[in-house]
């Protein structure tokens, strides 16, 4: 896990984006039919990502981060999954799009980097072939051209001796090199949207930093929009421009990285921050986990989904955390019934001192 230390570690805000969403998700619902009932994995989610910017989606396991992104890629089984809402990629509607259309877009216009390269790469084919094949398929080039492109991509992601290593199988690469190879595979067709799902979780901290730098460099070169999924706010601070905090299949807070990390507004975000190790902290200091468990997606709590774990329920006046669902405002904000003044005061007086 990356450590986040104090305000000084939060990057200065980058210039705001153009405001033109390359990917626009509106009122997305993803429900799975199971023997026990309907699992509401994503329950009314909206967000935008612009070209050249990185949106970090953060939340615990089961918060709906990965399910959201599999929906964008159209990778759910339509027989067991109901996806509704609007997913516009460069103006093109993906919800309900035909599999052939999605197949053309995957790898070409949008691509994904998975957490575990060893299971994402086939053990039966060389690294080079796995990079070259999608390029050949989408670009209609010859085998030789695709092979040269695979070598070029391996070089771009920093694999030494790419002309030789292109003929290696995945098991001949180290974990960090396999992750780089998967990035090369994802970027080979210059996708406009790159979805990275916990791409550095399995790597040691040094390699993790190298991979994050590589993604930033490649984004500058290709101008891709990136969605970066992680449970680690330290990683988000390093790579993202904007943050979406998810809880129980819903977005509970959003804003730019500097806004959310310098003045978070939602009690769940406060919990994520205070449960992280800090470089400046006392080594004997115990971390404060968020008590309780993530909500059941089969029978989500009424009102605010965070209320069974929230220590601020009694502070809310005029609304009921157990009955009234708080809405996430457009733009910067948090889905919480506390007043703006309460959010600011509780953060400054109770949370911030624990982060320094
Ligand atoms: Fe906590 Fe209530 Fe805010 Fe939900 S709405 S985060 S339960 S204070």
């Amino acid at each position: 896990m990356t450590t986040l230390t104090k305000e000084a570690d939060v990057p200065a805000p980058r210039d705001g984006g153009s405001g033109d969403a390359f990917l626009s998700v509106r009122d997305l619902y993803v429900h799975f039919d199971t023997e026990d009932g309907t699992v509401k994995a994503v329950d009314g989610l909206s967000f935008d990502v612009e070209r050249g910017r990185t949106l970090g989606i953060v939340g615990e396991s089961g918060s709906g981060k990965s399910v959201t992104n599999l929906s964008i890629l159209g990778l759910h089984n339509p027989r067991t999954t109901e996806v509704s809402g609007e997913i516009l990629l460069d103006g093109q509607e993906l919800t309900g799009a035909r599999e052939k259309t999605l197949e053309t877009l995957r790898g070409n216009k949008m691509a994904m980097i998975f957490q575990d390269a060893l299971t994402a790469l086939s053990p039966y084919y060389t690294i080079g072939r796995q990079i070259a094949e999608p390029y050949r398929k989408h670009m209609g080039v010859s085998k030789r051209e695709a092979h040269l492109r695979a070598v070029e991509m391996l070089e771009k992601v920093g694999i030494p001796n790419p002309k030789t290593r292109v003929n290696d199988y995945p098991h001949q690469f180290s974990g960090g090199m396999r992750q780089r190879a998967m990035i090369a595979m994802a970027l080979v067709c210059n996708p406009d949207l790159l979805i990275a799902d916990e791409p550095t979780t399995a790597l040691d901290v040094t390699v993790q930093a190298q991979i994050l730098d590589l993604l930033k460099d490649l984004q500058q070169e290709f101008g891709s929009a990136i969605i970066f999924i992680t449970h680690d706010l330290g990683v988000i601070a390093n790579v993202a421009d904007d943050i979406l905090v998810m809880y129980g299949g819903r977005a509970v807070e959003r804003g730019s990285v500097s806004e959310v990390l310098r003045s978070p507004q939602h009690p769940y975000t406060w919990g994520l921050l205070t449960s992280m190790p800090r470089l400046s902290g006392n080594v004997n200091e115990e971390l404060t986990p968020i008590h309780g468990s993530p909500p059941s997606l089969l029978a989500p709590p009424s009102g605010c989904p965070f209320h069974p774990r929230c220590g601020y329920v009694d502070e809310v006046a005029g609304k009921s955390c157990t009955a009234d669902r708080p809405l996430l405002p457009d733009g910067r904000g948090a889905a919480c019934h506390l007043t703006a003044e309460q959010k600011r005061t509780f953060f400054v007086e109770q949370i911030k001192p624990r982060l320094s």
Side-chain angles (χ1 to χ4, degrees):
M1 176 184 273
T2 305
T3 52
L4 183 70
T5 54
K6 48 193 182 227
E7 278 195 16
D9 295 315
V10 178
R14 258 176 51 171
D15 287 346
S18 61
D20 296 331
F22 178 67
L23 174 76
S24 179
V25 173
R26 287 289 167 274
D27 289 324
L28 179 68
Y29 290 82
V30 185
H31 292 179
F32 300 111
D33 286 332
T34 71
E35 283 183 358
D36 296 320
T38 302
V39 172
K40 296 175 178 172
V42 177
D43 209 26
L45 181 68
S46 300
F47 64 87
D48 293 327
V49 193
E50 294 170 27
R51 277 182 202 273
R53 284 182 81 81
T54 299
L55 173 71
I57 302 186
V58 70
E60 293 165 294
S61 300
S63 59
K65 315 183 292 287
S66 298
V67 171
T68 299
N69 289 296
L70 292 175
S71 309
I72 295 168
L73 291 161
L75 291 176
H76 290 303
N77 180 347
R79 277 179 300 180
T80 54
T81 314
E82 192 186 322
V83 180
S84 64
E86 194 177 76
I87 301 174
L88 287 176
L89 182 77
D90 203 12
Q92 183 171 3
E93 177 58 81
L94 302 187
T95 317
R98 290 169 53 189
E99 180 52 30
K100 202 152 181 52
T101 307
L102 291 167
E103 241 176 49
T104 310
L105 294 172
R106 281 196 295 264
N108 186 8
K109 205 153 186 169
M110 55 183 179
M112 183 147 181
I113 302 170
F114 294 92
Q115 179 177 350
D116 181 3
L118 199 52
T119 45
L121 293 168
S122 167
Y124 301 110
Y125 299 107
T126 62
I127 293 281
R129 181 163 174 191
Q130 293 184 64
I131 299 172
E133 273 305 306
Y135 189 67
R136 206 157 76 88
K137 182 178 159 202
H138 289 297
M139 303 297 172
V141 298
S142 68
K143 262 190 178 176
R144 186 178 149 65
E145 279 174 279
H147 178 82
L148 290 174
R149 174 69 172 169
V151 173
E152 183 193 340
M153 289 308 295
L154 285 181
E155 190 167 18
K156 236 181 233 308
V157 298
I159 300 290
N161 305 321
K163 283 186 185 153
T164 311
R165 303 304 300 256
V166 74
N167 298 315
D168 283 356
Y169 288 85
H171 74 270
Q172 294 171 287
F173 272 33
S174 68
M177 283 166 66
R178 278 196 294 269
Q179 207 65 17
R180 284 165 190 265
M182 199 165 48
I183 292 173
M185 200 162 91
L187 291 174
V188 67
C189 298
N190 298 353
D192 298 300
L193 174 68
L194 182 66
I195 298 174
D197 191 351
E198 307 259 12
T200 57
T201 304
L203 304 173
D204 68 49
V205 181
T206 320
V207 182
Q208 185 183 74
Q210 289 171 359
I211 298 280
L212 296 181
D213 283 345
L214 175 65
L215 279 174
K216 281 194 263 188
D217 291 347
L218 293 172
Q219 183 182 43
Q220 279 200 339
E221 186 178 343
F222 294 112
S224 314
I226 298 182
I227 296 178
F228 199 102
I229 307 168
T230 180
H231 59 276
D232 188 337
L233 278 168
V235 168
I236 290 279
N238 264 316
V239 296
D241 301 298
D242 304 293
I243 301 183
L244 189 75
V245 182
M246 286 192 71
Y247 187 80
R250 301 173 188 176
V252 295
E253 178 156 6
R254 77 166 140 239
S256 70
V257 165
S258 60
E259 286 167 340
V260 174
L261 296 185
R262 285 174 198 268
S263 53
Q265 298 178 354
H266 197 284
Y268 176 60
T269 315
W270 298 343
L272 290 177
L273 283 165
T274 51
S275 60
M276 287 186 65
R278 291 178 297 287
L279 283 176
S280 55
N282 179 341
V283 284
N284 296 318
E285 184 188 1
E286 284 190 20
L287 298 177
T288 319
I290 306 172
H291 76 84
S293 316
S296 159
L297 300 174
L298 271 168
S302 57
C304 172
F306 191 56
H307 83 253
R309 307 172 76 185
C310 182
Y312 296 88
V313 172
D314 294 339
E315 306 291 345
V316 171
K319 288 249 162 86
S320 162
C321 292
T322 54
D324 301 323
R325 175 177 169 171
L327 299 176
L328 183 66
D330 286 339
R332 164 76 182 126
C336 172
H337 293 314
L338 294 171
T339 64
E341 182 56 26
Q342 282 177 310
K343 287 170 187 162
R344 198 190 67 76
T345 308
F346 290 142
F347 174 67
V348 169
E349 293 180 359
Q350 298 176 14
I351 308 299
K352 201 170 175 185
R354 291 159 62 189
L355 302 178
S356 53

